[in-house]
Amino acid sequence: MEKTNKRPIIIDTDPGIDDAMALAAALFSKELDVQLLTTVAGNVSLEKVTRNLLRLLTFWDLKIPVTKGASQPLLRAARDASEVHGESGLAGFDFPDGNQENLLPESAVAAMRRVLIAATEPVTIVALAPLTNLALLLREYPEAKEKIAEIVMMGGALGRGNFGAYTEFNIGVDPEAARIVFDSGLKLTMVPLEMGSIAKIYPEESQKMASLNQTGRMLYSLLQHYRSGSLDSGLEMYDSTVIAYLLNPSMFTVEKLSVQIETQGAYTAGATIVDLAGFYQEPANCQVCVNLDSTKFSTWLLAALANCP
Ligand code: BDR
Ligand code: CA
């Protein structure tokens, strides 16, 4: 593989309106080399998220390999978030059909392994969706672990959830997968739900976005149909906080903490037990973003989107 100065990454995603925003920021960044995109059932079904990803790539006229991953969580029934992203997962924009040439016949996990084993430097995995594919990768191909620089994920909550009272969607959909990832010993960074609530997009910013370029207009249309927060009081932008962290970590306050994944609780399966006060005296296994400068985030986001066509 050709060597560049860009940071090599693999993005695992379930587009998803906020995934689309994150992908726009990542795919046109001069600092990131997106080597592979993998899909997983999450916001909507595997077929729909894959179709959405292929449509986004065609909209942007990009050729990046895409592979399909898990169609359901490891042990549980699939649950979606179509009430937030619309039935299609990308409500509000009439996309051209996706170019199927981007879609490889390989499974997501096999493709991740192949890219990792061939990599000349460790690759960062960016997780914007339930962690099913990553858990399968670690379980089936542990030899690929040494080529993973770190996993940076949007997932979990410091406090209350958006999927259950204490459960964030990406972890709550597949708690068993999350536990495998959190117990992996790999370098992990968690950008939790609260950062998305700080990273709100207010009307003034969405208007600016719409005036940037075609991508800004497309995202603006999607935002009219996005149901996390409200257009007037601000829309919560979860997945793009991960790209902000990759490119500009100094806008976050980060702590190294113990994070345990609850898998048994009748009401709390999928809760991330972030031990901020050190109650359990367990070693830190995760870097956790605990605060974000919202002004720096919105300035960064608009600048990142300005690089798009
Ligand atoms: C996460 O859940 C999904 O609906 C979003 O795309 C994001 O990845 C937020 O909890
Ligand atoms: Ca997502």
Side-chain angles (χ1 to χ4, degrees):
M1 195 153 294
E2 193 191 327
K3 187 136 175 71
T4 68
N5 291 326
K6 294 175 161 192
R7 177 171 177 176
I9 66 170
I10 293 172
I11 304 181
D12 191 51
T13 179
D14 61 342
I17 293 176
D18 63 324
D19 298 74
M21 182 84 71
L23 288 165
L27 295 174
F28 295 96
S29 157
K30 292 183 184 63
E31 291 154 70
L32 300 175
D33 172 18
V34 183
Q35 302 202 339
L36 175 68
L37 294 162
T38 55
T39 58
V40 62
N43 283 324
V44 286
S45 69
L46 180 68
E47 292 311 316
K48 287 182 182 175
V49 296
T50 307
R51 184 177 65 194
N52 290 344
L53 180 57
L54 293 171
R55 286 180 169 181
L56 285 165
L57 292 179
T58 302
F59 174 84
W60 286 316
D61 200 17
L62 288 174
K63 289 191 174 40
I64 300 176
V66 171
T67 55
K68 279 201 280 192
S71 60
Q72 57 185 55
L74 294 184
L75 301 180
R76 298 170 191 248
R79 301 259 308 269
D80 76 16
S82 52
E83 72 286 359
V84 176
H85 303 266
E87 276 306 311
S88 72
L90 283 184
F93 191 82
D94 197 9
F95 284 95
D97 280 345
N99 181 350
Q100 298 298 314
E101 280 173 19
N102 279 316
L103 184 63
L104 305 183
E106 234 176 343
S107 74
V109 170
M112 281 184 189
R113 177 191 178 273
R114 175 178 51 73
V115 169
L116 289 166
I117 297 296
T120 51
E121 63 179 293
V123 177
T124 296
I125 300 191
V126 176
L128 308 178
L131 296 170
T132 321
N133 287 341
L134 301 192
L136 290 169
L137 172 76
L138 297 177
R139 214 166 55 175
E140 289 180 29
Y141 300 119
E143 72 275 16
K145 261 174 87 168
E146 65 187 46
K147 291 294 194 69
I148 299 175
E150 60 176 314
I151 296 176
V152 184
M153 72 182 83
M154 190 283 128
L158 303 174
R160 294 281 175 159
N162 64 347
F163 181 75
Y166 290 100
T167 318
E168 182 277 330
F169 180 83
N170 287 341
I171 306 295
V173 164
D174 198 342
E176 287 74 21
R179 175 170 280 186
I180 290 173
V181 172
F182 276 80
D183 286 352
S184 66
L186 286 166
K187 181 175 178 193
L188 301 179
T189 301
M190 163 178 157
V191 191
L193 196 60
E194 286 82 356
M195 300 306 105
S197 306
I198 298 173
K200 279 198 175 119
I201 297 204
Y202 293 98
E204 198 193 326
E205 280 120 31
S206 50
Q207 305 284 345
K208 282 188 192 158
M209 195 179 292
S211 66
L212 285 175
N213 46 35
Q214 267 196 61
T215 301
R217 283 190 286 286
M218 177 270 283
L219 293 170
Y220 181 82
S221 305
L222 296 178
L223 290 181
Q224 312 304 306
H225 294 258
Y226 180 63
R227 297 286 172 267
S228 190
S230 77
L231 279 168
D232 291 338
S233 62
L235 292 166
E236 288 148 351
M237 278 302 111
Y238 302 111
D239 291 341
S240 46
T241 56
V242 172
I243 312 303
Y245 175 81
L246 286 177
L247 296 174
N248 204 343
S250 66
M251 70 173 90
F252 291 84
T253 308
V254 182
E255 290 187 31
K256 284 200 88 177
L257 295 165
S258 152
V259 180
Q260 304 303 323
I261 309 296
E262 180 60 80
T263 56
Q264 300 294 326
Y267 292 95
T268 52
T272 39
I273 312 301
V274 181
D275 193 6
L276 287 161
F279 288 119
Y280 308 115
Q281 298 286 305
E282 279 160 347
N285 59 344
C286 190
Q287 302 195 124
V288 182
C289 295
V290 296
N291 208 347
L292 166 62
D293 182 325
S294 59
T295 310
K296 285 187 180 158
F297 175 82
S298 54
T299 306
W300 166 80
L301 182 63
L302 286 170
L305 298 178
N307 294 329
C308 300

